[in-house]
Amino acid sequence: MIGKLDDYLRFNETALSLRAQRQEVLASNIANADTPNYKARDIDFASALQNAVAKGGQGGGPLSTTAKAHYPNGAADGKALADGTPVLYRTITQGAVDGNTVEMDTERTQFADNALRYEAGISMINHQIRELMTAIQSGGQ
């Protein structure tokens, strides 16, 4: 019974976990916008979610690259999220003299988009819980 409940909630739980971790990476980019030679990083959310779901929500393995600037099948500076998802360098569109690749407009947009999608994920989980509560309450009558 508990296993079925876990399965029912696992996708949104996994998505929320990845969104929270991505938010930390994006916040780190924004915090280091003035740090010389800091390289902006991000995760490939779609691939990370696909890998996590394929592994039963227990984390993902190395991702394939989506841009030439990404490290092949590896993480930026060997760093990865807690679940093993590599953190990749963002593609440089406009470099800075000090070597910093953070573009504040891009980071703000990605941060806001990710926050909005996180809120949508919370709404989905709330909806699932309400459905379960309705089923439980009507099941005894």
Side-chain angles (χ1 to χ4, degrees), residues 10-20 45 49 52-53 118 121:
R10 181 167 288 124
F11 177 80
N12 283 320
E13 173 195 359
T14 304
L16 279 179
S17 176
L18 282 170
R19 289 252 174 244
F45 180 82
L49 182 59
V53 169
Y118 184 86

Side-chain angles (χ1 to χ4, degrees), residues 47-70:
S47 294
L49 182 59
Q50 191 174 40
N51 287 341
V53 169
K55 290 187 172 195
Q58 298 174 359
L63 302 176
S64 57
T65 58
T66 58
K68 292 179 183 177
H70 292 168

Side-chain angles (χ1 to χ4, degrees), residues 23 50 57-59 74 96 102 109 115:
Q23 201 74 349
Q50 191 174 40
Q58 298 174 359
V102 175
T109 301

Side-chain angles (χ1 to χ4, degrees), residues 14-123:
T14 304
L16 279 179
S17 176
L18 282 170
R19 289 252 174 244
Q21 293 175 15
R22 182 172 185 234
Q23 201 74 349
E24 290 178 17
V25 171
L26 295 172
S28 176
N29 288 347
I30 292 170
N32 287 291
D34 294 326
T35 303
N37 295 316
Y38 181 83
K39 306 301 180 208
R41 298 173 294 167
D42 201 353
I43 64 169
D44 184 350
F45 180 82
S47 294
L49 182 59
Q50 191 174 40
N51 287 341
V53 169
K55 290 187 172 195
Q58 298 174 359
L63 302 176
S64 57
T65 58
T66 58
K68 292 179 183 177
H70 292 168
Y71 278 60
N73 295 322
D77 294 327
K79 298 190 185 206
L81 299 178
D83 65 356
T85 301
V87 181
L88 305 171
Y89 288 120
R90 211 185 268 290
T91 303
I92 302 170
T93 55
Q94 181 178 348
V97 175
D98 65 356
N100 187 307
T101 63
V102 175
E103 296 174 5
M104 285 304 290
D105 290 338
T106 301
E107 299 305 325
R108 283 188 203 113
T109 301
Q110 292 297 319
F111 190 88
D113 179 67
N114 194 61
L116 183 66
R117 291 174 189 264
Y118 184 86
E119 291 293 326
I122 289 175
S123 295

